[in-house]
Amino acid sequence: NVANAFGMASTNTSEQHEAEAFNNLFEISKCLNSGIDKETLQILVDLVELGVNPEALATVVKEIRKEAAVIDATRGETP
């Protein structure tokens, strides 16, 4: 198989596994009521894969949410 000889099939399978793993992660995120959409979750995953400390990243997300809640409250909005 030409595609397999050039590693194309294994890359496709790898991409499928990666997509499945991400979808599972998103489902877990929804079950935990994280409020994180797929795009944001992908950004967070990418940052962790680049070496950002996951705990520090979680702290930043929490702080941003707190600040957003304060801003929303001053505008009379609900999150």
Side-chain angles (χ1 to χ4, degrees), residues 30-72:
K30 288 191 324 186
C31 288
L32 295 172
N33 295 317
S34 71
I36 297 174
D37 60 40
K38 269 191 168 184
E39 181 181 4
T40 303
L41 183 60
Q42 185 62 61
I43 292 167
L44 296 172
V45 168
D46 290 345
L47 287 169
V48 170
E49 288 177 349
L50 288 171
V52 174
N53 181 314
E55 291 179 22
L57 191 54
T59 300
V60 170
V61 169
K62 289 177 190 177
E63 289 299 316
I64 290 172
R65 285 185 170 177
K66 284 181 190 177
E67 291 296 322
V70 169
I71 291 168
D72 289 343

Side-chain angles (χ1 to χ4, degrees), residues 4-17:
N4 202 14
F6 290 104
M8 294 167 69
S10 63
T11 301
N12 190 27
T13 302
S14 176
E15 289 172 3
Q16 290 172 340
H17 287 297

